[in-house]
Amino acid sequence: MNGDFLSCDWGTTSFRLRWVAGPDRAVVREIREQAGVRSLYEEALRSGAEIEAARADVFARFLTRKLEALLAGKKTPEHQLPLVISGMASSSWRGQLAGQRIAV
């Protein structure tokens, strides 16, 4: 294992997803957007996602699309990359993704 991992810093007003590589923790690729937890939460409510599970699905679909974009065109890693999510993401998901695997 080479120490690569994915880092998702999802704040109230912004989203940052990084592929971090090797022992020197170099950022290989990065996606930054002004799609914070607040705007996605509001979008979920507008689309009729009134229960928590439906809102979590909106967040999971967004994250999956961003992971696909981050990994597009790169050689598929030989092992599954851990994903560390920090910031305000848990304020809307309440841990529903903890320990789960997201396939991309």
Short mmCIF file of all heavy atoms in Angstrom, two decimals, residues 19-64:
data_model
loop_
_atom_site.label_atom_id
_atom_site.label_comp_id
_atom_site.label_asym_id
_atom_site.label_seq_id
_atom_site.Cartn_x
_atom_site.Cartn_y
_atom_site.Cartn_z
N TRP A 19 -7.02 14.06 -4.08
CA TRP A 19 -6.33 12.77 -4.08
C TRP A 19 -4.95 13.07 -3.54
O TRP A 19 -4.17 13.82 -4.13
CB TRP A 19 -6.27 12.22 -5.49
CG TRP A 19 -5.59 10.88 -5.63
CD1 TRP A 19 -4.74 10.27 -4.74
CD2 TRP A 19 -5.70 9.99 -6.73
NE1 TRP A 19 -4.33 9.07 -5.22
CE2 TRP A 19 -4.89 8.87 -6.44
CE3 TRP A 19 -6.39 10.05 -7.93
CZ2 TRP A 19 -4.78 7.79 -7.33
CZ3 TRP A 19 -6.26 8.98 -8.80
CH2 TRP A 19 -5.47 7.87 -8.50
N VAL A 20 -4.62 12.52 -2.40
CA VAL A 20 -3.35 12.76 -1.72
C VAL A 20 -2.51 11.50 -1.88
O VAL A 20 -2.97 10.39 -1.62
CB VAL A 20 -3.57 13.09 -0.23
CG1 VAL A 20 -2.25 13.38 0.45
CG2 VAL A 20 -4.53 14.28 -0.09
N ALA A 21 -1.25 11.67 -2.32
CA ALA A 21 -0.43 10.52 -2.69
C ALA A 21 0.87 10.43 -1.89
O ALA A 21 1.49 11.45 -1.59
CB ALA A 21 -0.10 10.57 -4.17
N GLY A 22 1.23 9.18 -1.62
CA GLY A 22 2.54 8.84 -1.12
C GLY A 22 2.91 9.39 0.24
O GLY A 22 2.13 10.10 0.87
N PRO A 23 4.12 9.05 0.65
CA PRO A 23 4.58 9.45 1.98
C PRO A 23 4.76 10.96 2.15
O PRO A 23 4.69 11.48 3.25
CB PRO A 23 5.92 8.72 2.14
CG PRO A 23 6.35 8.39 0.76
CD PRO A 23 5.11 8.24 -0.06
N ASP A 24 4.95 11.68 1.03
CA ASP A 24 5.10 13.13 1.15
C ASP A 24 3.76 13.86 1.11
O ASP A 24 3.71 15.08 1.22
CB ASP A 24 6.04 13.67 0.07
CG ASP A 24 5.52 13.41 -1.34
OD1 ASP A 24 4.56 12.63 -1.50
OD2 ASP A 24 6.08 13.99 -2.28
N ARG A 25 2.66 13.11 0.95
CA ARG A 25 1.29 13.66 0.98
C ARG A 25 1.06 14.73 -0.09
O ARG A 25 0.40 15.74 0.13
CB ARG A 25 0.93 14.22 2.35
CG ARG A 25 1.08 13.24 3.49
CD ARG A 25 0.04 12.15 3.34
NE ARG A 25 0.02 11.29 4.52
CZ ARG A 25 0.27 9.99 4.48
NH1 ARG A 25 0.56 9.41 3.34
NH2 ARG A 25 0.21 9.27 5.56
N ALA A 26 1.60 14.50 -1.29
CA ALA A 26 1.43 15.43 -2.40
C ALA A 26 -0.01 15.34 -2.92
O ALA A 26 -0.57 14.26 -3.03
CB ALA A 26 2.41 15.10 -3.52
N VAL A 27 -0.59 16.49 -3.25
CA VAL A 27 -1.92 16.52 -3.84
C VAL A 27 -1.77 16.24 -5.34
O VAL A 27 -1.18 17.03 -6.07
CB VAL A 27 -2.62 17.87 -3.59
CG1 VAL A 27 -3.96 17.93 -4.31
CG2 VAL A 27 -2.81 18.09 -2.10
N VAL A 28 -2.32 15.08 -5.78
CA VAL A 28 -2.22 14.66 -7.18
C VAL A 28 -3.27 15.37 -8.02
O VAL A 28 -3.00 15.82 -9.13
CB VAL A 28 -2.40 13.13 -7.28
CG1 VAL A 28 -2.41 12.67 -8.73
CG2 VAL A 28 -1.32 12.42 -6.50
N ARG A 29 -4.49 15.43 -7.50
CA ARG A 29 -5.60 16.09 -8.19
C ARG A 29 -6.48 16.75 -7.15
O ARG A 29 -6.55 16.30 -6.01
CB ARG A 29 -6.43 15.10 -8.99
CG ARG A 29 -5.68 14.52 -10.17
CD ARG A 29 -6.56 13.65 -10.99
NE ARG A 29 -7.08 14.45 -12.09
CZ ARG A 29 -7.72 13.94 -13.13
NH1 ARG A 29 -7.93 12.64 -13.19
NH2 ARG A 29 -8.15 14.70 -14.10
N GLU A 30 -7.21 17.77 -7.60
CA GLU A 30 -8.07 18.49 -6.67
C GLU A 30 -9.29 19.05 -7.40
O GLU A 30 -9.18 19.51 -8.53
CB GLU A 30 -7.29 19.63 -6.02
CG GLU A 30 -8.09 20.45 -5.03
CD GLU A 30 -7.25 21.49 -4.34
OE1 GLU A 30 -6.30 22.03 -4.97
OE2 GLU A 30 -7.53 21.78 -3.18
N ILE A 31 -10.42 19.01 -6.73
CA ILE A 31 -11.65 19.65 -7.21
C ILE A 31 -12.09 20.61 -6.11
O ILE A 31 -12.18 20.22 -4.95
CB ILE A 31 -12.75 18.61 -7.49
CG1 ILE A 31 -12.37 17.73 -8.68
CG2 ILE A 31 -14.09 19.30 -7.72
CD1 ILE A 31 -13.35 16.62 -8.95
N ARG A 32 -12.38 21.85 -6.51
CA ARG A 32 -12.89 22.87 -5.58
C ARG A 32 -14.17 23.44 -6.17
O ARG A 32 -14.21 23.75 -7.35
CB ARG A 32 -11.89 24.01 -5.39
CG ARG A 32 -10.66 23.64 -4.66
CD ARG A 32 -9.69 24.83 -4.65
NE ARG A 32 -8.61 24.57 -3.74
CZ ARG A 32 -8.48 25.16 -2.56
NH1 ARG A 32 -9.35 26.07 -2.17
NH2 ARG A 32 -7.47 24.86 -1.77
N GLU A 33 -15.18 23.59 -5.33
CA GLU A 33 -16.45 24.16 -5.78
C GLU A 33 -17.08 24.96 -4.66
O GLU A 33 -16.83 24.70 -3.49
CB GLU A 33 -17.42 23.06 -6.20
CG GLU A 33 -17.03 22.39 -7.49
CD GLU A 33 -18.15 21.58 -8.08
OE1 GLU A 33 -19.32 21.76 -7.68
OE2 GLU A 33 -17.86 20.75 -8.94
N GLN A 34 -17.93 25.87 -5.05
CA GLN A 34 -18.73 26.63 -4.09
C GLN A 34 -20.04 25.88 -3.86
O GLN A 34 -21.12 26.44 -4.02
CB GLN A 34 -18.97 28.05 -4.60
CG GLN A 34 -17.71 28.87 -4.74
CD GLN A 34 -16.95 28.99 -3.43
OE1 GLN A 34 -17.52 29.31 -2.39
NE2 GLN A 34 -15.66 28.72 -3.47
N ALA A 35 -19.95 24.61 -3.55
CA ALA A 35 -21.13 23.76 -3.31
C ALA A 35 -21.02 23.22 -1.89
O ALA A 35 -20.71 22.06 -1.68
CB ALA A 35 -21.18 22.62 -4.32
N GLY A 36 -21.25 24.10 -0.96
CA GLY A 36 -21.15 23.71 0.43
C GLY A 36 -22.36 22.93 0.91
O GLY A 36 -23.34 22.74 0.19
N VAL A 37 -22.27 22.48 2.13
CA VAL A 37 -23.34 21.70 2.74
C VAL A 37 -24.66 22.47 2.73
O VAL A 37 -25.72 21.91 2.43
CB VAL A 37 -22.94 21.29 4.17
CG1 VAL A 37 -24.11 20.70 4.93
CG2 VAL A 37 -21.78 20.31 4.14
N ARG A 38 -24.60 23.76 3.01
CA ARG A 38 -25.82 24.56 3.07
C ARG A 38 -26.56 24.55 1.73
O ARG A 38 -27.76 24.31 1.68
CB ARG A 38 -25.53 26.00 3.48
CG ARG A 38 -26.81 26.85 3.54
CD ARG A 38 -26.55 28.32 3.81
NE ARG A 38 -25.71 28.50 4.98
CZ ARG A 38 -24.76 29.43 5.07
NH1 ARG A 38 -24.54 30.27 4.08
NH2 ARG A 38 -24.03 29.54 6.16
N SER A 39 -25.86 24.82 0.63
CA SER A 39 -26.53 24.90 -0.67
C SER A 39 -27.07 23.54 -1.10
O SER A 39 -28.16 23.47 -1.69
CB SER A 39 -25.60 25.48 -1.73
OG SER A 39 -24.49 24.63 -1.96
N LEU A 40 -26.34 22.46 -0.81
CA LEU A 40 -26.85 21.13 -1.16
C LEU A 40 -28.06 20.75 -0.31
O LEU A 40 -29.01 20.12 -0.81
CB LEU A 40 -25.76 20.08 -1.03
CG LEU A 40 -25.46 19.36 -2.33
CD1 LEU A 40 -24.92 20.31 -3.36
CD2 LEU A 40 -24.59 18.19 -2.12
N TYR A 41 -28.02 21.12 0.95
CA TYR A 41 -29.17 20.86 1.84
C TYR A 41 -30.41 21.59 1.31
O TYR A 41 -31.49 21.01 1.22
CB TYR A 41 -28.82 21.31 3.25
CG TYR A 41 -29.94 21.15 4.24
CD1 TYR A 41 -30.20 19.91 4.82
CD2 TYR A 41 -30.74 22.23 4.60
CE1 TYR A 41 -31.24 19.75 5.72
CE2 TYR A 41 -31.77 22.08 5.51
CZ TYR A 41 -32.01 20.84 6.07
OH TYR A 41 -33.04 20.69 6.97
N GLU A 42 -30.24 22.86 0.95
CA GLU A 42 -31.36 23.64 0.42
C GLU A 42 -31.86 23.05 -0.90
O GLU A 42 -33.06 22.99 -1.15
CB GLU A 42 -30.95 25.10 0.26
CG GLU A 42 -30.74 25.79 1.60
CD GLU A 42 -30.05 27.13 1.51
OE1 GLU A 42 -29.59 27.52 0.40
OE2 GLU A 42 -29.94 27.80 2.55
N GLU A 43 -30.94 22.61 -1.75
CA GLU A 43 -31.32 21.97 -3.02
C GLU A 43 -32.12 20.69 -2.76
O GLU A 43 -33.11 20.42 -3.43
CB GLU A 43 -30.08 21.64 -3.83
CG GLU A 43 -30.34 20.92 -5.12
CD GLU A 43 -29.07 20.51 -5.83
OE1 GLU A 43 -28.09 21.28 -5.82
OE2 GLU A 43 -29.04 19.40 -6.40
N ALA A 44 -31.67 19.91 -1.78
CA ALA A 44 -32.38 18.67 -1.44
C ALA A 44 -33.80 18.97 -0.98
O ALA A 44 -34.75 18.28 -1.40
CB ALA A 44 -31.61 17.91 -0.36
N LEU A 45 -33.97 19.98 -0.15
CA LEU A 45 -35.31 20.33 0.31
C LEU A 45 -36.19 20.80 -0.85
O LEU A 45 -37.36 20.41 -0.94
CB LEU A 45 -35.24 21.42 1.38
CG LEU A 45 -34.65 21.00 2.73
CD1 LEU A 45 -34.62 22.19 3.67
CD2 LEU A 45 -35.44 19.84 3.33
N ARG A 46 -35.62 21.61 -1.75
CA ARG A 46 -36.38 22.09 -2.92
C ARG A 46 -36.82 20.93 -3.81
O ARG A 46 -37.87 21.00 -4.45
CB ARG A 46 -35.57 23.09 -3.73
CG ARG A 46 -35.51 24.48 -3.15
CD ARG A 46 -34.93 25.49 -4.13
NE ARG A 46 -33.62 25.12 -4.64
CZ ARG A 46 -32.46 25.42 -4.07
NH1 ARG A 46 -32.44 26.10 -2.94
NH2 ARG A 46 -31.33 25.05 -4.62
N SER A 47 -36.01 19.88 -3.87
CA SER A 47 -36.34 18.74 -4.73
C SER A 47 -37.29 17.75 -4.05
O SER A 47 -37.61 16.72 -4.61
CB SER A 47 -35.07 18.02 -5.19
OG SER A 47 -34.47 17.35 -4.10
N GLY A 48 -37.71 18.08 -2.82
CA GLY A 48 -38.69 17.24 -2.14
C GLY A 48 -38.10 16.22 -1.19
O GLY A 48 -38.81 15.36 -0.69
N ALA A 49 -36.81 16.28 -0.94
CA ALA A 49 -36.16 15.35 -0.02
C ALA A 49 -36.42 15.79 1.41
O ALA A 49 -35.60 16.46 2.03
CB ALA A 49 -34.67 15.28 -0.31
N GLU A 50 -37.58 15.42 1.92
CA GLU A 50 -37.99 15.90 3.25
C GLU A 50 -37.47 15.05 4.39
O GLU A 50 -37.30 15.54 5.50
CB GLU A 50 -39.52 15.99 3.30
CG GLU A 50 -40.06 17.03 2.34
CD GLU A 50 -41.56 17.13 2.36
OE1 GLU A 50 -42.19 16.57 3.28
OE2 GLU A 50 -42.10 17.78 1.46
N ILE A 51 -37.21 13.76 4.14
CA ILE A 51 -36.69 12.92 5.21
C ILE A 51 -35.17 12.84 5.11
O ILE A 51 -34.59 13.03 4.04
CB ILE A 51 -37.33 11.51 5.20
CG1 ILE A 51 -37.02 10.79 3.90
CG2 ILE A 51 -38.84 11.60 5.44
CD1 ILE A 51 -37.46 9.34 3.90
N GLU A 52 -34.55 12.55 6.22
CA GLU A 52 -33.09 12.57 6.30
C GLU A 52 -32.43 11.62 5.30
O GLU A 52 -31.43 11.96 4.68
CB GLU A 52 -32.66 12.22 7.73
CG GLU A 52 -31.20 12.45 7.98
CD GLU A 52 -30.85 12.29 9.44
OE1 GLU A 52 -31.63 12.69 10.31
OE2 GLU A 52 -29.77 11.75 9.71
N ALA A 53 -33.00 10.43 5.13
CA ALA A 53 -32.42 9.46 4.20
C ALA A 53 -32.42 9.99 2.77
O ALA A 53 -31.47 9.77 2.01
CB ALA A 53 -33.17 8.13 4.28
N ALA A 54 -33.48 10.69 2.38
CA ALA A 54 -33.55 11.25 1.03
C ALA A 54 -32.52 12.37 0.86
O ALA A 54 -31.91 12.49 -0.21
CB ALA A 54 -34.96 11.77 0.76
N ARG A 55 -32.32 13.17 1.89
CA ARG A 55 -31.31 14.24 1.82
C ARG A 55 -29.91 13.62 1.74
O ARG A 55 -29.06 14.09 0.98
CB ARG A 55 -31.43 15.18 3.00
CG ARG A 55 -32.69 16.05 2.94
CD ARG A 55 -32.68 17.14 3.99
NE ARG A 55 -32.58 16.66 5.35
CZ ARG A 55 -33.62 16.34 6.11
NH1 ARG A 55 -34.85 16.45 5.64
NH2 ARG A 55 -33.45 15.92 7.35
N ALA A 56 -29.68 12.57 2.49
CA ALA A 56 -28.37 11.90 2.45
C ALA A 56 -28.10 11.35 1.06
O ALA A 56 -26.96 11.36 0.59
CB ALA A 56 -28.32 10.78 3.48
N ASP A 57 -29.14 10.91 0.37
CA ASP A 57 -28.99 10.40 -0.99
C ASP A 57 -28.53 11.52 -1.94
O ASP A 57 -27.70 11.30 -2.81
CB ASP A 57 -30.30 9.79 -1.47
CG ASP A 57 -30.14 9.06 -2.78
OD1 ASP A 57 -29.21 8.24 -2.89
OD2 ASP A 57 -30.94 9.32 -3.70
N VAL A 58 -29.06 12.72 -1.76
CA VAL A 58 -28.63 13.87 -2.57
C VAL A 58 -27.14 14.13 -2.36
O VAL A 58 -26.39 14.32 -3.31
CB VAL A 58 -29.46 15.13 -2.23
CG1 VAL A 58 -28.88 16.38 -2.89
CG2 VAL A 58 -30.92 14.93 -2.64
N PHE A 59 -26.70 14.10 -1.12
CA PHE A 59 -25.28 14.32 -0.80
C PHE A 59 -24.42 13.21 -1.39
O PHE A 59 -23.36 13.46 -1.96
CB PHE A 59 -25.08 14.41 0.71
CG PHE A 59 -25.44 15.74 1.29
CD1 PHE A 59 -26.75 16.03 1.62
CD2 PHE A 59 -24.49 16.71 1.50
CE1 PHE A 59 -27.11 17.26 2.16
CE2 PHE A 59 -24.82 17.95 2.03
CZ PHE A 59 -26.13 18.22 2.35
N ALA A 60 -24.87 11.96 -1.26
CA ALA A 60 -24.10 10.81 -1.76
C ALA A 60 -23.96 10.86 -3.28
O ALA A 60 -22.89 10.57 -3.82
CB ALA A 60 -24.75 9.52 -1.32
N ARG A 61 -25.02 11.23 -3.98
CA ARG A 61 -24.96 11.34 -5.45
C ARG A 61 -23.97 12.44 -5.86
O ARG A 61 -23.18 12.27 -6.79
CB ARG A 61 -26.34 11.60 -6.04
CG ARG A 61 -27.22 10.36 -6.09
CD ARG A 61 -28.44 10.56 -6.98
NE ARG A 61 -29.15 11.80 -6.75
CZ ARG A 61 -30.20 11.94 -5.94
NH1 ARG A 61 -30.67 10.90 -5.29
NH2 ARG A 61 -30.79 13.11 -5.79
N PHE A 62 -24.02 13.57 -5.18
CA PHE A 62 -23.09 14.66 -5.46
C PHE A 62 -21.65 14.19 -5.25
O PHE A 62 -20.79 14.39 -6.11
CB PHE A 62 -23.40 15.87 -4.56
CG PHE A 62 -22.43 17.01 -4.74
CD1 PHE A 62 -22.65 17.97 -5.71
CD2 PHE A 62 -21.30 17.12 -3.93
CE1 PHE A 62 -21.77 19.03 -5.88
CE2 PHE A 62 -20.41 18.17 -4.10
CZ PHE A 62 -20.64 19.12 -5.08
N LEU A 63 -21.40 13.56 -4.11
CA LEU A 63 -20.05 13.10 -3.80
C LEU A 63 -19.58 12.06 -4.82
O LEU A 63 -18.43 12.10 -5.27
CB LEU A 63 -19.99 12.54 -2.38
CG LEU A 63 -18.63 12.03 -1.92
CD1 LEU A 63 -17.56 13.10 -2.03
CD2 LEU A 63 -18.74 11.51 -0.49
N THR A 64 -20.44 11.15 -5.20
CA THR A 64 -20.08 10.13 -6.18
C THR A 64 -19.68 10.77 -7.51
O THR A 64 -18.67 10.39 -8.12
CB THR A 64 -21.24 9.14 -6.39
OG1 THR A 64 -21.50 8.47 -5.15
CG2 THR A 64 -20.91 8.10 -7.45
#
